[in-house]
Amino acid sequence: KVTQEILYLSKQESNNTYGLQVMQKTETSWKQTGFIHDITADFPLAQEIAELLTLYQLYPIHVQDVIQDILYKKYFLEV
């Protein structure tokens, strides 16, 4: 699940950033098992990452690596 956060750069300046709640389905509900802060300031990219992680149902140990790979491809390999 994508969550909006405020990153304070100074007392007068802040930016919106987006993080992810890592959720696990239990028999009766959903349980938050982790939170990854400040992934990107690009909301559509945060949504795309959340959808991919939901689709592939990764083990929690792999989530940060996959996010880093996506961000690297987006910001360093695209020209």
Side-chain angles (χ1 to χ4, degrees):
K1 179 179 176 182
V2 176
T3 60
Q4 182 178 5
E5 302 176 286
I6 299 173
L7 177 65
Y8 292 96
L9 305 172
S10 68
K11 288 184 180 181
Q12 295 86 16
E13 189 177 5
S14 65
N15 285 336
N16 289 329
T17 64
Y18 301 94
L20 294 176
Q21 287 182 0
V22 180
M23 308 292 287
Q24 181 179 25
K25 187 170 178 140
T26 67
E27 287 185 24
T28 58
S29 64
W30 287 88
K31 174 183 164 188
Q32 182 175 330
T33 58
F35 196 95
I36 304 169
H37 296 276
D38 191 22
I39 294 172
T40 182
D42 180 350
F43 181 72
L45 178 59
Q47 284 184 308
E48 180 183 335
I49 291 170
E51 289 169 5
L52 287 171
L53 296 176
T54 301
L55 176 66
Y56 291 107
Q57 295 292 301
L58 301 175
Y59 285 103
I61 194 167
H62 299 294
V63 170
Q64 290 223 339
D65 286 336
V66 169
I67 291 170
Q68 288 175 349
D69 290 345
I70 292 168
L71 294 175
Y72 182 80
K73 180 182 175 194
K74 170 79 174 168
Y75 293 111
F76 294 102
L77 296 182
E78 290 183 2
V79 178

